[in-house]
Amino acid sequence: MNMTVQDNPMPPGSPNTPSRELGKEYLEDIALKSRPVISIRFRLFLAFLVIFAFSMIVALWSIYALSGIQAKILFLEAAGDYLAEIQQARRFEKNFLLYGTNLEDSMQHLQTAEEILQKNKNTIEKILGRNSIRGMSLQLSNYHKVLEKVGEAGDTDERNRYEPELREYGGQLVSDATNFVEKEREAVEGALSLSRRVPFYFLGILMVLIIVITSFLVKNILSTLNRFLEYTNRIGEGDFSPILPKRKYRDEFSQLGLAFNHMIRELDKRHKILIESHKLRAVGTLVAGVAHELNNPLNNTMLTAGLLEEDFGRLPDEEKLDLVRDIIKETDRSKVIVRHLLDFARASEYKIVAMDLEKLLEGSIRLVHNRVKLAKIDLQIKLTPDLPPVHGDEQALQQVFINLILNAVDALPPKGKIAITDSKSSQGGFIEIKITDNGAGIPEHILPRIFDPFFTTKVKEKGTGLGLSVSQGIVRRLGGNITVESRVGMGTTFTVLLPTTEVPSSVSAAADS
Amino acid sequence: MNRNLRIMVIDDENIVGKRLKPALEKDGDIVEAFTDARKALERFSEQQFDIVVSDIRMDDIDGLEVLEQVLARSEKTKVIIITGYATVEVAQEALVKGAFDFIAKPFKPNDLRSIIDKAAKELDK
Ligand SMILES: Nc1ncnc2c1ncn2[C@@H]1O[C@H](COP(=O)(O)OP(=O)(O)OP(=O)(O)O)[C@@H](O)[C@H]1O
Ligand SMILES: [Mg+2]
């Protein structure tokens, strides 16, 4: 996985955005870069290392266990020999007692048993403990002593006197040795069956280990991937706030985050250009209306001036003055119209200030007044008094309302209705402005797409499809939101949610969420 | 110069009628000015006019509607349309619908006079 990333390991602190802004570090990037590096590569390596170490431990244990078993088997042989020697010794002892054969042979075997005991002293001591070995050699020597005494005894009676003692020591000796061999055999069998079972335990534990490690790694990677999925959605919706680190370390995803931030900045730049160009287009639309509006005072001026020119000599001063006053009044009217348009068209940076909603809405309506009138649409504003001022840039917000009103105008037949209302939002610290029309409505299947840039159902010259996306961009940037409700045949309501100035610095807070 | 033409001027801009009335009356015509197209049409049903000068863009009833209603009541009446911005389409629509001519704002009283003169000649035929 992630080959490209692995092939280009970035040394920490190196500039990793293909940055034309050399020497210009962005705050959000610094935060991303300053985390300690724990790369995915390193985590994978660590995971395999753990598995390897575990396997190694098991392998070493197997070697150790096998050599233990081997030693035990060797020892078992020795124990077997020991038992055999003692049994031999006892057989000769019996022969001696019964048939009076040679006792030397018995002594001989006892000697060999003693030797075996001495040779394996350490091992036996380990298995049976120090006391048992002492007991064992004591018994051996006791038996030996009795045997010697029996050998030295002259007659049968004396021999018979020793017999119970001899039987006791001998029997004890044999049973101890048998016991010992038996114990040893059990130990070997135990060790063997353990080493038979251990591979299964090992496989089981290895499986659990792999599952745990894999699911941990996968969860780790997937959750980050999901986060990036959310980012792309968020960016797609026009939220251009940068990605901030969510983890305490840095890995290949952080590089992706840096690349995302770079992309976001580029998109943001382009989006601003888009807003500006859409605004210019809106100006174009408005100019058509304003041209007509301007024509009225111009015409009044011209007619009045024309009359003044024709009748200049004949008219009494009083009437001439009246005409001149009319001319001044109408010129003033022209000036106001031109100023509104210029105010709107003036290119400017965002200036976020507290704004009176009433003035804002009235300003927007004044700009579209002509279009509305031309389309014979009944536009009504019902404003709630004493609402707190909203947070925003006047021209940008005017653009939003102009876009929404013009959209409604486009959707309405003559005599259609637009209602604009405002109220406090149920969500504290926000105000809702609703723009409702009783036009055709928006079919459900296109509703999710209307905020997409360049989505339009209008003919080429009438719409670029940027109005809503630009408006949403403006409002989101201010920390608000635009939502839509529509029913085909009934009409459409756009709701603009704007933060009031009561909420301090809600702009950045809302943009980050 | 005493044509005694009956001229109706309709424009929701109050000043238009106020200025055109004395200007056109100098030619001896009888001029009535209205700012409300509905009232103008009511008046038209009582009184025939030779010439109607109407703005194309008004709140309630627009110039094209005035044109249609006037022609429906009196075929020979010459209707002159005042357009806000001289777009070819609007002018053409008006002409197709039977307007005599159109004049673009802003204009001087004399500009309108020459059109009215043409219309008067047409009426004399
Ligand atoms: N009030 C409304 N009623 C019905 N449909 C609407 C309404 N507002 C928007 N729409 C639909 O949403 C689409 C996108 O609107 P948007 O404002 O983004 O672009 P546009 O109006 O087509 O073009 P532009 O605003 O760039 O001139 C419109 O084409 C229209 O189909
Ligand atoms: Mg639009």
Side-chain angles (χ1 to χ4, degrees), chain A residues 292 295-296 298-300 302-304 306-307 309-311 314 322-323 326 330 333 370 373-374 376, chain B residues 12-13 15-16 18-20 22-23 26 55 57-59 62 84-85 105-110 113:
Chain A
H292 187 96
N295 264 329
N296 280 328
L298 272 182
N299 189 50
N300 292 341
M302 194 117 157
L303 281 178
T304 312
L307 204 67
E309 186 191 26
E310 280 175 20
D311 298 343
R314 272 167 285 160
D322 191 37
L323 290 177
D326 262 359
E330 293 300 310
R333 211 177 124 194
N370 266 282
K373 203 168 144 192
L374 186 63
K376 295 190 195 317
Chain B
D12 55 1
E13 287 283 322
I15 288 190
V16 174
K18 191 166 120 193
R19 299 295 169 226
L20 280 181
K26 282 196 278 180
D55 192 9
R57 241 179 87 179
M58 289 172 297
D59 263 346
D62 72 11
Y85 41 107
K105 279 184 183 177
F107 58 89
K108 281 195 200 161
N110 261 338
R113 258 190 214 116

Side-chain angles (χ1 to χ4, degrees), chain A residues 278 281 407 411 437 442 450 455-458 463-468:
Chain A
H278 190 268
R281 233 185 59 83
N407 276 350
D437 66 62
I442 305 170
I450 59 169
F455 176 83
T456 180
T457 56
K458 297 171 190 170
T464 58
L466 286 175
L468 286 176

Side-chain angles (χ1 to χ4, degrees), chain A residues 251-320:
Chain A
D251 61 12
E252 287 82 348
F253 279 117
S254 311
Q255 308 292 349
L256 193 61
L258 291 175
F260 260 64
N261 277 344
H262 176 69
M263 180 184 78
I264 289 170
R265 282 192 292 273
E266 288 295 312
L267 278 177
D268 197 19
K269 226 186 284 167
R270 250 147 257 205
H271 193 246
K272 276 188 190 132
I273 295 170
L274 211 59
I275 292 180
E276 205 53 48
S277 70
H278 190 268
K279 187 163 112 184
L280 288 181
R281 233 185 59 83
V283 170
T285 315
L286 296 181
V287 161
V290 168
H292 187 96
E293 177 132 320
L294 214 49
N295 264 329
N296 280 328
L298 272 182
N299 189 50
N300 292 341
T301 312
M302 194 117 157
L303 281 178
T304 312
L307 204 67
L308 191 62
E309 186 191 26
E310 280 175 20
D311 298 343
F312 196 78
R314 272 167 285 160
L315 284 175
D317 280 358
E318 193 60 32
E319 241 172 89
K320 273 193 244 178

